[in-house]
Amino acid sequence: MNSSVSPPRKPLRLWPGVAAAVVLLFIQFVLPVIAPKAEFSGMDAPLVAILGGLVLALVIVIWWTFFSRAPWSERLLALAVIVVAVVATRPLTDISIQNGMMGRMYFIYAVPSTIALALVAWAVASRRLSQGPRRAALVVAILAGCLVWTLVRTNGILGGTADLAWRWTPSAEQRLLAQGETDPPPAAPAETVKEPVAAEAANPAAPSATAPAATRTEPAAPTTATAATAPSISDPGTRRPEWPGFRGPDRDGVARAVRINTDWAASPPVEMWRRPVGPGWSSFAVQGDLFYTHEQRGPEEIVSCYRVSTGAPVWRHRDAARFWESNGGTGPRATPALSDGRVYTLGGTGILNALDSRTGAKVWSRNAATDAGIKLP
């Protein structure tokens, strides 16, 4: 009687997956640290980390599916577990991860940096286990690679990559609010506020629905310490702004009236003062000893005026509005613009303000989104 004996199964071919995992680890976690400003074929290190991670994750999937020598049932099971785990755990992640990169952040970051690596680590660590424990370990490894992303959030995109933080840690804005900074003390209002523009004067009874729900301004008179060394608070109404808005007077980012010593080894810059501000994408507008920016603090957008010489707040105008989206984070996007004694601002939710640049007193305010009949996403 003849009996046929199946030849022993060849061991797993692990080296291609391990090699791809090592390169992936280097590209994603080492390269951005040792060469954060390096460029490769016109791509910076963060972009190389993202694209390289996706390519290497695909290499790992191809290796596992076609060249690993694992039983076909196990190959297909691993792919199925990955798909189910990704779909099941994505709703558990922070909203910033779910919506980041147009809803693709979880897939772009999780699949290469944890899931693909978890697959290779499992294949190596469990290669001598029996079928039952090996498959149970597969589920645990893939779930662990997914669930780690439920522990983090993104504060936005910084330097071409996600600015990740532990989900339970306070954000920079929360730390600022915890300081409990008070507004500048109120000062006497300006003697006059310029009349509304002609179009507004022709329609003085604008519908209340187009105005922001709540606004308030806290101006402050210059202190004795700054009055002797800084221009008067009325100065913005009488001189041309040195930096009237985004990227300067010619919108090219060039300051032509200033010479800067570029040899910082011989003459390093000296920090004169430091002040935290709320989040946002607003830059600065400058006129005399005053500069203006637009920031978010809790439920309010704030147009702020500070002293160039000391960093001390001069006045703040508040609007009850908050804008957030996962790619850019929290806060208004536009930079204040200075013209004829006024500062013009556009908030993230469409609130358009014209304020007196000396005191922050409101000249007029509209809601561009409401006026245009647009519903914010």
Side-chain angles (χ1 to χ4, degrees):
M1 180 177 179
N2 294 329
S3 60
S4 59
V5 178
S6 300
R9 180 178 294 276
K10 293 182 179 181
L12 292 178
R13 183 187 285 118
L14 295 174
W15 70 264
V18 172
V22 170
V23 177
L24 192 155
L25 281 169
F26 177 81
I27 288 178
Q28 290 238 304
F29 300 104
V30 179
L31 182 63
V33 175
I34 64 175
K37 297 183 179 180
E39 290 191 0
F40 306 88
S41 300
M43 298 185 296
D44 57 15
L47 184 58
V48 169
I50 293 174
L51 297 181
L54 291 172
V55 170
L56 287 164
L58 179 60
V59 169
I60 289 173
V61 169
I62 292 174
W63 154 75
W64 174 253
T65 305
F66 299 105
F67 304 105
S68 64
R69 292 178 181 163
W72 272 103
S73 60
E74 202 166 80
R75 302 185 203 189
L76 298 178
L77 175 64
L79 298 179
V81 169
I82 289 174
V83 172
V84 172
V86 168
V87 173
T89 57
R90 184 173 180 270
L92 303 178
T93 60
D94 188 77
I95 188 66
S96 63
I97 299 291
Q98 294 181 37
N99 293 347
M101 295 182 171
M102 306 299 291
R104 302 183 183 93
M105 176 175 284
Y106 183 56
F107 308 106
I108 291 174
Y109 277 83
V111 172
S113 59
T114 55
I115 298 174
L117 294 176
L119 176 63
V120 175
W122 162 79
V124 173
S126 66
R127 64 187 184 278
R128 292 188 175 89
L129 296 179
S130 59
Q131 178 176 293
R134 179 176 170 82
R135 293 185 175 181
L138 167 65
V139 175
V140 171
I142 299 302
L143 278 177
C146 293
L147 290 174
V148 69
W149 288 93
T150 66
L151 305 178
V152 297
R153 69 168 188 271
T154 174
N155 296 320
I157 303 299
L158 181 64
T161 188
D163 179 21
L164 298 175
W166 294 116
R167 198 168 177 174
W168 56 84
T169 57
S171 65
E173 181 189 9
Q174 290 170 329
R175 293 194 297 270
L176 174 62
L177 294 174
Q179 296 177 9
E181 182 183 6
T182 58
D183 284 315
E191 294 181 2
T192 60
V193 174
K194 293 188 177 182
E195 293 298 324
V197 294
E200 183 188 359
N203 183 24
S208 59
T210 63
T215 62
R216 56 193 176 97
T217 303
E218 290 89 1
T223 63
T224 304
T226 60
T229 58
S232 166
I233 197 170
S234 62
D235 189 56
T238 60
R239 64 182 296 173
R240 182 179 180 183
E242 291 85 353
W243 201 261
F246 182 66
R247 292 178 60 81
D250 297 319
R251 297 292 190 262
D252 57 2
V254 178
R256 292 177 172 80
V258 177
R259 294 186 64 185
I260 299 175
N261 190 338
T262 57
D263 186 0
W264 285 10
S267 179
V270 178
E271 181 178 298
M272 305 300 293
W273 52 264
R274 179 185 294 260
R275 169 173 290 277
V277 297
W281 284 80
S282 171
S283 182
F284 301 94
V286 183
Q287 189 169 23
D289 192 47
L290 303 181
F291 70 92
Y292 308 82
T293 191
H294 208 175
E295 52 189 290
Q296 187 79 50
R297 298 198 183 197
E300 295 178 312
E301 283 184 341
I302 299 180
V303 183
S304 301
C305 175
Y306 297 95
R307 286 280 179 196
V308 173
S309 54
T310 64
V314 178
W315 55 258
R316 293 189 180 116
H317 171 86
R318 298 174 177 268
D319 291 303
R322 182 176 180 86
F323 181 79
W324 175 89
E325 56 87 22
S326 56
N327 289 327
T330 304
R333 269 41 181 170
T335 297
L338 295 169
S339 179
D340 295 332
R342 293 181 181 179
V343 53
Y344 297 89
T345 62
L346 179 64
T349 62
I351 296 176
L352 178 64
N353 289 318
L355 310 174
D356 187 286
S357 60
R358 298 167 296 175
T359 65
K362 182 172 68 175
V363 179
W364 54 261
S365 184
R366 305 287 296 185
N367 190 310
T370 303
D371 287 349
I374 295 175
K375 183 179 179 181
L376 295 176

